[in-house]
């Protein structure tokens, strides 16, 4: 099916910026919803941002609103997460995910998605 590969993770200082990318392959498959999640050791995976393909409606978890922006480039089959004003609490493994179905789940819930990438590490130091 679809394969997802994340890139762009790095180690940065507080206040810095990063742009994560997620390249999708294995088409043709329908994609209705795309999102970014993050996870730290000992905690559950958290939905960070999501974007619908129809109308480009976006969702963000409260802690990243105003700092992160999710976007996509359909021509390149790529999903992005622009992260500005990074904080130590943003340190996590970041995962890209897509859904190949219309879903009634929250767009920030793991259960909404049908395919996942391997993750890319983001580390923010004080």
């Amino acid at each position: 099916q679809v394969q997802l590969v994340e890139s762009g993770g790095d180690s940065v200082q507080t206040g810095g910026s990063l742009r994560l990318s997620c390249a999708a392959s294995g088409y043709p498959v329908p994609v209705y919803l795309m999102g970014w999640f993050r996870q730290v050791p000992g905690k559950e995976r958290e939905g960070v941002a999501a974007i619908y393909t129809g109308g480009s409606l976006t969702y963000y978890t409260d802690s990243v609103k105003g700092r992160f922006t999710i976007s996509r480039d359909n021509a390149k089959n790529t999903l992005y997460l622009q992260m500005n004003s990074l904080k130590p609490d943003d340190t996590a493994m970041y995962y890209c995910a897509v859904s190949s179905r219309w879903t009634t789940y929250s767009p920030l819930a793991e259960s909404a998605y049908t395919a996942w990438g391997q993750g890319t590490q983001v580390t923010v130091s004080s």
Side-chain angles (χ1 to χ4, degrees):
Q1 204 207 13
V2 63
Q3 291 84 46
L4 305 174
V5 180
E6 303 97 332
S7 63
D10 206 348
S11 180
V12 299
Q13 293 184 332
T14 298
S17 297
L18 287 172
R19 187 178 73 161
L20 305 184
S21 299
C22 172
S25 62
Y27 288 92
V29 295
V31 176
Y32 300 108
L33 177 66
M34 313 177 79
W36 288 97
F37 289 73
R38 64 187 181 187
Q39 188 170 31
V40 299
K43 294 188 177 181
E44 67 182 21
R45 195 170 296 187
E46 174 191 25
V48 176
I51 183 169
Y52 283 99
T53 59
S56 297
L57 184 64
T58 59
Y59 294 83
Y60 299 93
T61 191
D62 287 343
S63 64
V64 308
K65 288 180 179 178
R67 300 189 297 120
F68 291 10
T69 303
I70 188 171
S71 62
R72 67 180 188 272
D73 186 334
N74 291 335
K76 297 180 179 180
N77 294 321
T78 302
L79 178 72
Y80 302 99
L81 184 67
Q82 179 65 47
M83 305 186 294
N84 297 327
S85 302
L86 284 163
K87 305 174 181 179
D89 285 349
D90 296 319
T91 296
M93 183 72 74
Y94 282 73
Y95 299 89
C96 171
V98 302
S99 180
S100 61
R101 67 192 178 212
W102 290 108
T103 178
T104 58
Y105 291 104
S106 166
L108 297 180
E110 285 187 81
S111 53
Y113 296 86
T114 57
W116 296 82
Q118 296 288 336
T120 185
Q121 179 68 40
V122 172
T123 301
V124 185
S125 60
S126 300

